[in-house]
Amino acid sequence: MQAEIITIGDEILIGQIVDTNSAFIAKQLNKIGVSVYQITSVQDEEEHILKSLKEAEENADIIILTGGLGPTKDDITKNTLAAYFQDTLVQDEAVLENIKFLWENYVQKPLSQLNIDQALIPSKAIALMNKVGSAPGMWMEKGNKTFISLPGVPFEMETLIQEEVLPRLQKKYKSPYILHRTLLTYGLGESSLAELIEDWEANLPKHIKLAYLPNLGKVRLRISAKGFHKEQIIKEVDEQIQLLLPLIKEYFTGFEDLEETIEALVAKQFIAQNKTLSAAESCTGGKIAERITEVPGASNYFKGSIVSYATEVKTSVLKVSEELIKKHSVVSAEVAEAMAVSALKLFETDYAIATTGNAGPTKGDSDAEVGTVYIAIARKGFVYSEKYMLGNHRVKVINKAVNKAFEMLQKEFLKNR
Amino acid sequence: MQAEIITIGDEILIGQIVDTNSAFIAKQLNKIGVSVYQITSVQDEEEHILKSLKEAEENADIIILTGGLGPTKDDITKNTLAAYFQDTLVQDEAVLENIKFLWENYVQKPLSQLNIDQALIPSKAIALMNKVGSAPGMWMEKGNKTFISLPGVPFEMETLIQEEVLPRLQKKYKSPYILHRTLLTYGLGESSLAELIEDWEANLPKHIKLAYLPNLGKVRLRISAKGFHKEQIIKEVDEQIQLLLPLIKEYFTGFEDLEETIEALVAKQFIAQNKTLSAAESCTGGKIAERITEVPGASNYFKGSIVSYATEVKTSVLKVSEELIKKHSVVSAEVAEAMAVSALKLFETDYAIATTGNAGPTKGDSDAEVGTVYIAIARKGFVYSEKYMLGNHRVKVINKAVNKAFEMLQKEFLKNR
C-alpha cells in the first residue's frame, strides 16, 4: 500500500514556513503499514495542483492533500478537487452545524458568508468533521484509490488524521506491518561505524534495510522491515539486532523509539517511578518547562520551574549566594548546581534540573564564551553538572541545551535503576 | 527563472525527520529572484530519483538535490546522478585534498577507503568544496539547465548554498526581483479580516498577490510581487500597504519581514521605556518566558518567570493564599491576579503577567471547562485580568494563550503612553 502526500501553499515554496505536516502524516501512515512513496509541495495554483493529483494517482493508492482549505480567495484546493473529479460543490448540513456550534461557543461573532461557504464540499465527497476548526476534511474515492484533503493548520490536520483518516484507512485497506528500529550510537563517525559492521550489513536479508543517520557526533542506525506477518518481522529484526549489538557495544546508547520524543520517554519514567521534577532555567528561558508541559499528563510529575533570567533573580528568588556567583561567575558548574539544589528545595521535588549559560549573540552578564552551557541535576543528597559547548547560533544553543537536559534526565534514570 | 528542490532520503518519507532544508533553500533562492516551482521528497531508490530528475528537468531551469551523499551503502545520489548524465565517477584531487585536510585537523584517525571514495564525482561535474564536511557539492549543466547536488546535513548544505551556489546562480542567470512583505495582525479571525479588506483586495493590481496565513489568534497577510524593475515593484507594494494600513489599524502589530513579531515589539517598548517584566505561568508552562527570551536582548527587561504547574506551588512558591484558591478555584480571575501581583513582588519588576487555565485534554485540578484561560497583568498598585475561551486542543490552547498574553502586554503599553 503506497501513499503520496501533497502539501499545498505558496508559503512552503517561498520558504516562509517549514512543512512539518508531511513528517507527521508519514509517521502516522507508517504505523498502520502504509508506505509513503513521495511528498510533493506545490503552489496555490490550479493547473499545478491538477498535475500533481494526476501524477500522484499514477504512483499511489492513497493521496493525502493538506492546505488551501481556508475561507479566503487564495485557498483553491476545494474547487480544484471538484474540477479533478468533474464534480460540483454542495452544502453539507452536518459541516454547517459544526461551524455554527464552533462560532457560538468560541468565536461569539455572527457567521459570515465566507464561514458558511466552508460547508460547501464536492458532492462526491464524504466530509470528515473538524472539531477544532471550520474547514472540514474530505474523503473521495476513485476505484480503489482514495483522495483525502485536510486543512493545513497543523493541529486541525493532526486531529483529523488521528480521529478520522487512520481508522477509515485501516478499515478500507489490508496493510502490511512496518517495523523501524533505530539504534543510537555516540562517539564513532559514519564511515568508521560502517566499516565496523560491514560483514553484518552484507549478510542482512534482502527485505531488511539499514540506514545511517549521522548528526554531529551521533549516528543513528535505522533497521526497517515490512511484511504481513508481524511476529515474524519482529523476530527477524530482533535477531539481527542481537547480532549487531556486540559489534557496536562501546558506542551504543539506546533505542530511539520512532513514536516517542525524549520528553515523552522522560515523562513515562517519572510517572512509572512516582517521582517528581522541578527546574531552574537561565539560558533555556522556560523552554524545558514548556517542552515538559506540552506532553499531556505532565501535572503527574512536573511541579514547576523558576526562570531566573536576570542574574539578581538567582539570588533573590533562587537564593544562590552572591558570593558564589562572584567567585565562579554566573555561567559556571557551581551556580548550575546551586540552582538545581535550590529548585529541589523550593518545589519539594525528588529531582531538579538547572541550566545556566550564554546563548549569545553577545556575552551578557558573564565572560563565558557564547555557546557555553552548564546543566545540573539534583536529587536528595546528590548533585552533579556537565559543561557543553553548543556553537554560536542563539536558537540552536537554546534548543541543543534543552535536548541535552532531557538526555541527562534520561541517563540519570538509567543509572539509578 | 524556476527551480525545483528534490530532497532524497527514506528518513523524510517515514517521518523520522522534518525536511527543513527545503525551506532554507527556497528562502535563499527567492532572495536572488528564483521562484521555486515544486519541492519533491523521494526515497533512496535509483529508479525513483531518476524519475524525479526527469520530471524536474521538464518543469524547472534549476534543479537542487539534497541528501544521499554520505559514504555508506544507503547513499546512492552520486551514482544515480552519474547514470542520469550517462557519466562515470572520477577522483577529484581538490576534493581529496580537502578531505585529507579535514581528517588531519578534526578527525585525527586514518583515512579509510570509504572516506577517499567521497572524492569521486561525475567527470562532467564541477565540485563545490565543502569546508565543513567530507561530501562535496556538485554542479552539472545540461543546455541551459543546472543540476546541483548538496549534502543533506543542514549546516553543510547551508554553507554550500551561501558560499558556492548562490554566487554561481547569480552569475549564470538574470533574475527578476521578488518582493514579499508580511503584515502581522492579532485579534481578528481570517474570514472577518477578509471581509474588512474585501474592497482593497478586489482592487489589487493583477501582478500583486495576497495570501492569508492564519495561526492561533494571529493572521499574517503576505503581499508578493515580482518584476525586473526593483524600484517600481517596491513603490507599488508600498502604495498598496499605505492603502491597507488604515483599514486594519486596530489589529496590525508590525511587519514580519522586519522581524517584528509581537514579542519583539513588546521587547522594544519595554526597553525604550526602561521598564522590567516578570511572569508567573501555570497553563502556559514556561512558553511566555521562552518566547520572550528567544529575542536577543531580552535580558535588558525580562527578569524571570515562575512556572507554577502544580497547584501547591502557587501557594508554596508564589504565596497565593490557599483560601483564595479554595474559594475561587485555581482557574479563576482572582488567582491569576494574585499570581501576577506575587510575581511583581518576587522579581521586583515594573510589570508582571500571569496565566492560569485548563489546556486539557482532561480537567486537572480545576472544574473549569477545557480551554478556559485567565490572564492577568499587574503593575504597581494596579492589576486586572481577562478571561478567554480558547478551544479544546491542548497545544492550540497553550499557543493562543501565549499570543493573547503578548497582545495584552502591548495594549497595556498603548494605554499608558
Side-chain angles (χ1 to χ4, degrees):
Chain A
M1 211 52 54
Q2 299 252 46
E4 181 160 338
I5 300 168
I6 301 174
T7 60
I8 300 168
D10 291 351
E11 62 275 22
I12 299 169
L13 295 153
I14 67 171
Q16 188 163 25
I17 65 156
V18 170
D19 167 27
T20 55
N21 284 352
S22 297
F24 176 86
I25 296 171
K27 203 183 260 184
Q28 300 306 318
L29 289 177
N30 259 253
K31 280 191 204 164
I32 62 160
V34 176
S35 306
V36 175
Y37 173 78
Q38 183 169 310
I39 298 165
T40 312
S41 300
V42 302
Q43 301 164 16
D44 293 301
E45 202 260 306
E46 188 176 2
E47 203 186 318
H48 195 172
I49 298 172
L50 289 174
K51 183 163 168 277
S52 66
L53 281 170
K54 195 163 162 290
E55 285 170 8
E57 192 182 333
E58 283 163 20
N59 301 328
D61 311 287
I62 299 159
I63 297 97
I64 300 188
L65 298 89
T66 71
L69 294 184
T72 51
K73 283 180 190 149
D74 55 321
D75 293 303
I76 62 164
T77 301
K78 207 155 61 175
N79 282 304
T80 308
L81 211 50
Y84 190 72
F85 277 82
Q86 298 172 293
D87 198 1
T88 50
L89 300 178
V90 295
Q91 185 162 297
D92 186 291
E93 293 309 319
V95 172
L96 188 58
E97 277 313 303
N98 182 49
I99 294 172
K100 282 181 181 163
F101 173 83
L102 291 170
W103 250 243
E104 262 164 41
N105 285 278
Y106 301 113
V107 183
Q108 288 142 349
K109 272 183 195 153
L111 263 187
S112 72
Q113 191 57 45
L114 284 178
N115 306 131
I116 293 169
D117 286 349
Q118 295 214 270
L120 292 173
I121 66 170
S123 76
K124 295 172 188 165
I126 296 167
L128 306 177
M129 216 53 69
N130 182 351
K131 290 180 200 151
V132 288
S134 53
M138 287 167 284
W139 175 286
M140 299 184 79
E141 299 190 345
K142 199 172 172 185
N144 198 35
K145 311 256 170 176
T146 305
F147 293 75
I148 299 154
S149 169
L150 301 172
V153 179
F155 69 89
E156 298 185 16
M157 176 281 295
E158 287 167 16
T159 308
L160 279 166
I161 284 278
Q162 304 277 24
E163 295 181 6
E164 297 287 339
V165 176
L166 297 182
R168 283 168 197 265
L169 286 177
Q170 280 179 298
K171 215 167 146 189
K172 178 166 176 181
Y173 298 99
K174 179 168 165 46
S175 297
Y177 178 70
I178 300 178
L179 179 65
H180 300 294
R181 295 270 277 159
T182 302
L183 288 77
L184 282 165
T185 73
Y186 284 87
L188 200 62
E190 183 183 7
S191 54
S192 306
L193 196 63
E195 278 166 45
L196 194 64
I197 63 173
E198 198 178 1
D199 293 341
W200 173 83
E201 186 178 355
N203 287 322
L204 272 180
K206 273 215 161 161
H207 64 288
I208 298 184
K209 279 183 82 177
L210 175 73
Y212 295 81
L213 306 164
N215 191 4
L216 299 165
K218 145 179 120 180
V219 178
R220 293 180 292 176
L221 294 173
R222 191 188 60 232
I223 302 169
S224 306
K226 189 161 117 173
F228 280 93
H229 302 285
K230 181 174 169 179
E231 272 65 42
Q232 180 68 13
I233 296 285
I234 293 174
K235 191 170 157 269
E236 283 174 359
V237 168
D238 272 348
E239 281 167 5
Q240 290 303 328
I241 289 173
Q242 292 316 317
L243 294 172
L244 173 60
L245 282 177
L247 307 174
I248 58 170
K249 207 173 146 189
E250 257 181 273
Y251 312 103
F252 173 69
T253 58
F255 290 94
E256 182 196 68
D257 194 322
L258 263 186
E259 289 106 63
E260 281 188 329
T261 55
I262 192 153
E263 53 266 38
L265 267 171
V266 165
K268 254 194 198 168
Q269 288 167 333
F270 269 93
I271 292 167
Q273 300 191 27
N274 202 21
K275 299 288 184 197
T276 54
L277 176 69
S278 61
E281 305 187 52
S282 180
C283 65
T284 50
K287 206 177 171 79
I288 292 178
E290 189 242 317
R291 288 260 301 266
I292 287 174
T293 56
E294 261 188 12
V295 180
S299 55
N300 290 317
Y301 78 98
F302 183 65
K303 290 217 181 176
S305 173
I306 286 172
V307 182
S308 58
Y309 207 62
T311 297
E312 68 260 34
V313 170
K314 291 187 184 70
T315 57
S316 66
V317 183
L318 275 174
K319 314 290 180 205
V320 176
S321 87
E322 250 176 89
E323 222 172 290
L324 189 84
I325 294 177
K326 257 189 208 146
K327 192 171 168 196
H328 301 283
S329 120
V330 70
V331 177
S332 64
E334 289 79 4
V335 168
E337 291 176 11
M339 288 169 68
V341 170
S342 173
L344 198 73
K345 279 185 204 152
L346 270 168
F347 290 103
E348 298 171 30
T349 50
D350 301 308
Y351 288 83
I353 189 151
T355 63
T356 181
N358 185 354
T362 54
K363 284 207 169 177
D365 274 0
S366 140
D367 274 346
E369 208 178 312
V370 170
T372 312
V373 176
Y374 291 88
I375 305 179
I377 289 186
R379 54 185 160 83
K380 215 176 172 185
F382 180 77
V383 63
Y384 79 103
S385 62
E386 286 190 18
K387 180 187 180 177
Y388 300 98
M389 299 302 301
L390 302 175
N392 59 6
H393 183 285
R394 184 179 179 81
V395 176
K396 273 187 202 159
V397 171
I398 295 173
N399 283 310
K400 276 187 188 171
V402 173
N403 283 335
K404 287 285 174 212
F406 282 111
E407 251 175 64
M408 280 176 68
L409 280 173
Q410 209 204 356
K411 276 190 193 153
E412 184 60 31
F413 260 101
L414 293 178
K415 274 196 304 197
N416 296 330
R417 246 198 327 216
Chain B
M1 212 51 56
Q2 299 253 45
E4 179 159 339
I5 300 167
I6 301 175
T7 60
I8 300 168
D10 291 350
E11 62 274 23
I12 299 169
L13 295 154
I14 67 171
Q16 188 163 27
I17 66 156
V18 169
D19 167 28
T20 54
N21 283 353
S22 296
F24 176 86
I25 296 171
K27 204 182 251 178
Q28 301 305 318
L29 289 177
N30 259 254
K31 282 190 195 159
I32 62 159
V34 176
S35 305
V36 175
Y37 173 77
Q38 184 169 308
I39 298 165
T40 311
S41 299
V42 302
Q43 301 164 17
D44 294 302
E45 203 261 305
E46 186 175 6
E47 201 185 320
H48 195 174
I49 298 172
L50 289 173
K51 184 165 169 276
S52 66
L53 282 170
K54 194 162 164 289
E55 284 169 8
E57 192 182 335
E58 283 162 22
N59 301 327
D61 311 287
I62 300 160
I63 296 98
I64 300 188
L65 297 89
T66 71
L69 294 183
T72 51
K73 283 182 188 145
D74 55 321
D75 294 302
I76 62 164
T77 302
K78 207 156 61 176
N79 283 305
T80 307
L81 211 52
Y84 190 72
F85 277 82
Q86 298 171 293
D87 198 1
T88 52
L89 299 179
V90 295
Q91 185 162 296
D92 187 292
E93 293 309 321
V95 172
L96 187 59
E97 277 313 303
N98 182 50
I99 293 172
K100 283 181 181 163
F101 173 83
L102 290 171
W103 251 244
E104 263 165 40
N105 284 279
Y106 301 109
V107 184
Q108 288 143 346
K109 273 186 194 149
L111 263 186
S112 73
Q113 191 56 44
L114 285 177
N115 306 132
I116 293 168
D117 286 348
Q118 295 214 271
L120 294 172
I121 66 169
S123 75
K124 296 172 187 165
I126 296 165
L128 307 176
M129 217 52 71
N130 182 353
K131 290 180 200 151
V132 287
S134 54
M138 288 166 283
W139 174 287
M140 300 185 79
E141 299 191 346
K142 199 172 173 184
N144 198 36
K145 310 257 170 175
T146 305
F147 292 74
I148 300 154
S149 170
L150 302 171
V153 179
F155 72 93
E156 298 184 18
M157 176 280 296
E158 287 167 17
T159 309
L160 278 165
I161 284 278
Q162 304 277 23
E163 295 181 6
E164 298 288 340
V165 176
L166 297 182
R168 284 169 195 265
L169 286 177
Q170 279 178 300
K171 214 167 147 189
K172 178 165 177 183
Y173 298 99
K174 179 170 165 45
S175 297
Y177 178 69
I178 299 179
L179 179 65
H180 300 294
R181 295 272 275 156
T182 303
L183 290 77
L184 282 165
T185 73
Y186 283 85
L188 200 62
E190 183 183 8
S191 54
S192 305
L193 196 63
E195 278 166 44
L196 194 66
I197 63 173
E198 197 177 2
D199 292 343
W200 172 83
E201 186 178 355
N203 286 323
L204 272 180
K206 273 217 162 160
H207 65 288
I208 299 185
K209 277 183 83 177
L210 175 72
Y212 294 81
L213 306 165
N215 192 7
L216 305 168
K218 121 184 136 183
V219 178
R220 293 181 291 176
L221 294 172
R222 190 188 61 233
I223 302 170
S224 306
K226 188 161 121 172
F228 282 93
H229 302 285
K230 181 174 169 178
E231 273 66 42
Q232 180 69 14
I233 296 284
I234 293 174
K235 191 169 157 270
E236 284 174 358
V237 168
D238 272 348
E239 282 168 4
Q240 289 302 330
I241 289 173
Q242 292 315 316
L243 293 172
L244 173 61
L245 282 178
L247 306 175
I248 59 169
K249 207 172 145 189
E250 260 180 89
Y251 312 103
F252 173 70
T253 59
F255 291 95
E256 186 187 63
D257 321 66
L258 308 174
E259 298 194 348
E260 277 186 352
T261 55
I262 192 156
E263 51 266 36
L265 262 171
V266 165
K268 254 193 202 166
Q269 287 167 333
F270 269 93
I271 293 167
Q273 300 192 26
N274 202 20
K275 299 289 183 195
T276 54
L277 175 69
S278 61
E281 305 187 51
S282 179
C283 65
T284 50
K287 207 176 171 81
I288 291 178
E290 189 242 315
R291 289 260 302 266
I292 288 174
T293 55
E294 260 187 12
V295 180
S299 56
N300 290 317
Y301 77 99
F302 183 64
K303 290 220 181 173
S305 172
I306 285 171
V307 182
S308 58
Y309 205 62
T311 297
E312 68 260 33
V313 171
K314 291 187 182 71
T315 57
S316 66
V317 183
L318 274 174
K319 314 289 180 205
V320 175
S321 88
E322 251 176 89
E323 222 171 290
L324 189 84
I325 294 177
K326 256 189 209 147
K327 192 171 166 194
H328 300 284
S329 120
V330 69
V331 178
S332 63
E334 288 78 5
V335 169
E337 292 176 11
M339 288 169 67
V341 170
S342 173
L344 199 73
K345 279 185 204 154
L346 271 168
F347 290 103
E348 297 171 30
T349 50
D350 301 308
Y351 288 83
I353 189 151
T355 62
T356 180
N358 185 353
T362 53
K363 284 207 167 175
D365 273 0
S366 138
D367 274 345
E369 207 178 312
V370 170
T372 313
V373 176
Y374 290 88
I375 305 179
I377 289 186
R379 55 186 160 85
K380 214 177 172 183
F382 180 77
V383 62
Y384 79 102
S385 63
E386 284 190 21
K387 180 187 179 177
Y388 300 98
M389 298 301 301
L390 302 176
N392 57 7
H393 183 285
R394 185 178 178 82
V395 176
K396 172 181 166 183
V397 171
I398 295 172
N399 283 307
K400 269 194 174 174
V402 173
N403 282 335
K404 287 285 173 207
F406 283 111
E407 234 176 84
M408 280 176 68
L409 279 173
Q410 208 208 357
K411 278 190 190 149
E412 184 61 31
F413 260 101
L414 294 177
K415 274 196 305 196
N416 297 332
R417 245 194 330 213

